[in-house]
Amino acid sequence: MESLLCEKWELQPKHSSTEVLQRWRDLCGVVKNPKRRFRFTANISKRHEAAEMRKTNQEKLRIAVLVSKAAFEFIKGAKTSEYSVPDEVEAAGFKICAEELGSIVEGHDLKKLKLHGGVSGIADKLGTNSANGLSTGDLRRRQEVYGINKFQESEPRSFWVFVWEALHDMTLMILGVCALVSLVVGIATEGWPKGAHDGLGIVASILLVVFVTASSDYRQSLQFRDLDKEKKKISIQVTRNGYRHKMSIYELLPGDVVHLAIGDQVPADGVFLSGFSVLIDESSLTGESEPVMVNDENPFLLSGTKVQDGTCKMLVTTVGMRTQWGKLMATLSEGGDDETPLQVKLNGVATIIGKIGLAFAVVTFAVLVQKLVTRKWTAGTSLVWSGDDALELLEYFAIAVTIVVVAVPEGLPLAVTLSLAFAMKKMMNDKALVRHLAACETMGSATSICSDKTGTLTTNHMTVVKSCICMTVKELTKPEHASALCSELPQSVLKTLVQSIFNNTGGEVVVNKEGKREILGTPTEAAILELGLSLGGDFLAERQAYKLVKVEPFNSTKKRMGVVLELPGGALRAHTKGASEIILAACTRVLNSKGEVVPLDDASFNHLKETIEQFAGEALRTLCLAYVELEHGFSAQDTIPASGYTLIGIVGIKDPVRPGVRESVALCRSAGVTVRMVTGDNINTAKAIARECGILTDDGIAIEGPDFREKSLEELHHLIPKIQVMARSSPLDKHTLVKHLRTTFNEVVAVTGDGTNDAPALHEADIGLAMGIAGTEVAKESADVIILDDNFSTIVTVAKWGRSVYVNIQKFVQFQLTVNIVALIVNFTSACLTGSAPLTAVQLLWVNMIMDTLGALALATEPPNEALMKKAPVGRSGNFISNVMWRNILGQSVYQFVVIWFLQAYGKTYFEIENQPNSDLILNTIIFNTFVFCQLFNEVNSREMEKINVLQGILNNHVFASVVGSTVLFQIIIVEFLGTFANTTPLTMRQWNASIFIGFLGMPIAVILKTIIPMRS
């Protein structure tokens, strides 16, 4: 079966083409209920709509840009038509309507923008201030006029919709027709109420199946809805009432002033206020891969696009469904998530078994009819058909249909969704947000984790604890150390140092609503700004004292950032900050102990290099600060110089290792998962932290990105398996490492990332893990799982849940295939040999519910245990239906079949019921009862496929205990009280004990199988 599944039902966890998704749908031949079977799969037609919408947007923007360029040439000479403000907008206190704003930004209409007085004119008409933002007093009026920043979503489906969909099961509909015919014929021949019992029994069973199925599906939909809400939580920096703070993008209104940085998603349509080097990636909206430069000449920013480079302030103009992104999102949200590899594989299993079951059902019906016709021929009544004969024929047809109900394991692919929904909800509580369903199950197969250092293995709470300024190393662990440094440094050096810290930064020092000082920015920036404040610096005064001419923000390729300042006298000075050895290599001069600028000779260079290595050896993150005086000819279009700098100093930043990381790395190693550190930091810092975490071992290799890039393919083939640390790596190095691990070594790779440049590696990896706190929106969108607390231990928890999902689904498949095989063979052989089926339609419907919905609930929701992380990962080539599963399935199937055959052959003698008038009914009730208890005890067996102790932790899983308990209760009610509907009769205590004991014997038989035929999955 595995080879058959691999041949036709194989699906990649990520980036599957539409053709592949369509192919497996076309292969699904036997589908009882398409509405239910394909509910949690991608809506291919909606995806086509979204693709067409992107093409339209691309064409619209291209035309708009061309038209606006042409119009701009004629603005001065052309007469512009006056814009009249709608009365309701004017009454609300505004001077421009939403439609006009939309046409300006979406149409890139520079002519209209100029007509309204440019960006400042738009701000005035919106009643906002580009420095202080909106005031909270008029928010309600603003919402009424311009709308809210929310996208149209499909209405949540009620419970009754799921009931309606459950009723679309083809086999249940056929059984419903059978029940109706049975009622009509039964009442006509036997009268009311006796003639209605069989028909009403089938109707009651159908309703029970429908309501239990709908309840399970409705519960899943609620879990997915909660997770969708979590996925959509995006915050952005906004200035309101003069204060800058984070707020949800869904609270934005036209007139808001938004701060954008590298990796942010533009949250609404708007116009550029101020900023530097802003490059916008519009591919998500238009499909166009070429980034667009945004500045005063091209000030338009569109919702849903991404900031690829630079920083800026933006004025929001249009929100929600008035934007093209809003309309696109409404269509995209209906496109659904890609189905997972296990969903597709189990659809394959369901289809194959369904076809076998259909064949068995047809043959069973044919055999039963042939027996009936033969009996009537022998009796000489072949031409005389009574109502009883019609009812018997109808019963045979109902049995055949019910065999299809039991044989087609429709619940298999849905059990995947149930297990994933359960796991995703629990993982959310464990600080991991799953964005793509497939990541849940793929993570369980991971063989390699490539992790960032900063913030993932470390706490990301940074403080400057050492410095080397003016060639002198100083401790800065206590507040008095900063005061001492301040008094020892020459005033000129202190002034240059503070100037560098407060101007060459992506962070900011602000005063919050409570009047307290607050540092905004990355932990690294915050640590350096904290140093500047402790040296007596004033952030605001420093920023106002100099004019910013150019800013080159930090990115992980250059590993540096820089600014150009215009000093009060008109002179220009560039400051740079970044990776210590890169900045040191760019310096030709240094400040000595007297604060004088002197040439950087070999002795000084070696002293500084040793200082960097010493800091790094103490697991400190090292950064260098430097400056250079520029010629007067420098313009904002020129690039900041890459060399000729004067070194101000080196700082050592402490970022402690997170508690529990060492234990988590050890747990990964015991689970057969290799952990590698990939960082942009200094190699000595990386090695020190890696040793502390237990990642770098004696036989492992630490390598720098530039060296890695130079290696040939043959060298990489020998080197990559031994690499445990890669330092000074670029995003391209990370991508190359991941690609080689996946393709050359066939590993299942999980990768962490937080920056915009990590997106290619996150996309390439089998499982992309973005950081929830430090991660940019671009990284999060490329990821499959978001680690909300940025903690490596959470990644291990995700791996544990991934394994749990995989194993739980295997348990359920093992359980359901056993029921399928036994129910098919028992009814088929019985029909062929005796001319009747021991299990009636109503009884088979009850068995179907036990194995389908209730079985999935019980087995697919088992929480993970520590034993899961003591096994090797499945990897890319593991068989889903393993030899261990086949052993358990066939062993239990043979036992159950032998038992039921024995009861059919010798049951009347053993229970001494031969002479009783209803002996056939008693025996069939015993067989039905025994069969159900065999399934119940086999359900307990299925909790562990290899372990002998299957009862461990059984009471901790409340769902499992509840399902088993309620099944036993309903079984008692069916046998003892619903005999007229379910074709059963009350049993004696001896018969009950025998049924339970025979079911229980399946447990010691499972132990014998595991002992005599030991296997490893």
Side-chain angles (χ1 to χ4, degrees), residues 142-202:
R142 205 173 281 273
Q143 281 183 3
E144 288 166 1
V145 173
Y146 297 107
I148 55 173
N149 198 32
K150 288 188 178 174
F151 311 126
Q152 185 180 315
E153 293 178 355
S154 54
E155 284 291 315
R157 295 193 290 182
S158 71
F159 171 71
W160 297 107
V161 172
F162 289 95
V163 171
W164 176 246
E165 288 189 356
L167 282 166
H168 279 73
D169 189 309
M170 184 60 70
T171 51
L172 291 184
M173 285 193 274
I174 294 169
L175 284 175
V177 172
C178 290
L180 183 65
V181 174
S182 176
L183 276 170
V184 172
V185 176
I187 293 168
T189 55
E190 297 181 49
W192 177 270
K194 192 182 176 186
H197 289 161
D198 287 349
L200 289 176
I202 295 173

Side-chain angles (χ1 to χ4, degrees), residues 457 660-670 673 675 693-695 792 796:
L457 298 168
V661 164
R662 191 176 182 86
E663 291 79 5
S664 296
V665 170
L667 187 62
C668 283
R669 191 164 279 127
S670 70
V673 181
V675 180
C693 295
I695 292 172
F792 183 80
V796 179

Side-chain angles (χ1 to χ4, degrees), residues 741-908:
L741 284 169
R742 288 187 72 241
T743 53
T744 312
F745 300 96
N746 206 31
E747 296 217 28
V748 179
V749 187
V751 171
T752 70
D754 53 15
T756 307
N757 292 324
D758 288 326
L762 291 170
H763 191 265
E764 174 68 30
D766 294 286
I767 312 103
L769 304 158
M771 299 298 109
I773 300 168
T776 62
E777 283 307 317
V778 171
K780 289 176 190 176
E781 197 168 280
S782 300
D784 305 295
V785 181
I786 298 171
I787 306 300
L788 298 174
D789 60 356
D790 291 14
N791 193 339
F792 183 80
S793 300
T794 305
I795 298 171
V796 179
T797 304
V798 173
K800 198 187 291 183
W801 271 108
R803 290 188 176 199
S804 177
V805 165
Y806 194 85
V807 170
N808 285 350
I809 295 164
Q810 282 185 314
K811 292 173 187 175
F812 176 64
V813 169
Q814 175 185 297
F815 169 67
Q816 192 166 40
L817 290 185
T818 307
V819 189
N820 281 136
I821 290 169
V822 177
L824 272 178
I825 293 174
V826 164
N827 266 24
F828 175 69
T829 53
S830 181
C832 293
L833 297 173
T834 67
S836 66
L839 300 176
T840 65
V842 172
Q843 290 167 1
L844 280 171
L845 278 174
W846 170 237
V847 169
N848 180 62
M849 198 164 73
I850 293 171
M851 75 171 192
D852 196 327
T853 309
L854 296 178
L857 269 174
L859 291 169
T861 57
E862 282 271 349
N865 54 59
E866 292 304 320
L868 287 170
M869 296 303 282
K870 291 175 183 171
K871 297 178 183 177
V874 176
R876 208 177 290 282
S877 54
N879 287 346
F880 176 70
I881 303 179
S882 63
N883 292 336
V884 169
M885 290 168 69
W886 281 121
R887 176 198 66 192
N888 297 340
I889 290 166
L890 296 174
Q892 288 293 328
S893 299
V894 168
Y895 165 68
Q896 290 182 25
F897 177 67
V898 168
V899 162
I900 289 168
W901 173 81
F902 174 82
L903 287 174
Q904 278 186 295
Y906 305 105
K908 287 183 182 179

Side-chain angles (χ1 to χ4, degrees), residues 259-276:
H259 300 259
L260 297 173
I262 295 178
D264 283 340
Q265 179 175 303
V266 180
D269 284 1
V271 286
F272 175 87
L273 286 170
S274 62
F276 296 93

Side-chain angles (χ1 to χ4, degrees), residues 128-134 239-243 257 259 273 313:
T128 188
N129 183 298
S130 57
N132 296 326
L134 291 179
T239 296
R240 268 193 189 174
N241 292 326
Y243 295 104
V257 174
H259 300 259
L273 286 170
K313 280 204 306 185

Side-chain angles (χ1 to χ4, degrees), residues 256-383:
D256 265 319
V257 174
V258 173
H259 300 259
L260 297 173
I262 295 178
D264 283 340
Q265 179 175 303
V266 180
D269 284 1
V271 286
F272 175 87
L273 286 170
S274 62
F276 296 93
S277 316
V278 182
L279 269 181
I280 299 291
D281 173 13
E282 294 184 346
S283 59
S284 55
L285 187 65
T286 67
E288 183 58 61
S289 57
E290 195 64 35
V292 176
M293 179 71 78
V294 172
N295 46 34
D296 292 323
E297 284 75 43
N298 177 35
F300 305 110
L301 291 149
L302 296 174
S303 177
T305 57
K306 315 288 188 310
V307 182
Q308 192 168 307
D309 203 0
T311 56
C312 72
K313 280 204 306 185
M314 166 188 125
L315 177 70
V316 175
T317 58
T318 322
V319 292
M321 291 303 294
R322 295 181 190 275
T323 67
Q324 277 301 321
W325 180 247
K327 293 163 195 166
L328 180 62
M329 281 301 289
T331 308
L332 275 177
S333 64
E334 293 176 35
D337 236 355
D338 273 1
E339 44 271 27
T340 75
L342 272 186
Q343 271 178 301
V344 174
K345 198 166 267 191
L346 291 183
N347 265 295
V349 173
T351 301
I352 293 164
I353 294 173
K355 287 176 180 176
I356 295 167
L358 189 61
F360 268 78
V362 170
V363 173
T364 304
F365 180 66
V367 169
L368 289 171
V369 170
Q370 182 263 329
K371 295 271 185 186
L372 174 64
V373 171
T374 304
R375 192 170 71 240
K376 287 184 72 62
W377 181 270
T378 308
T381 58
S382 56
L383 298 176

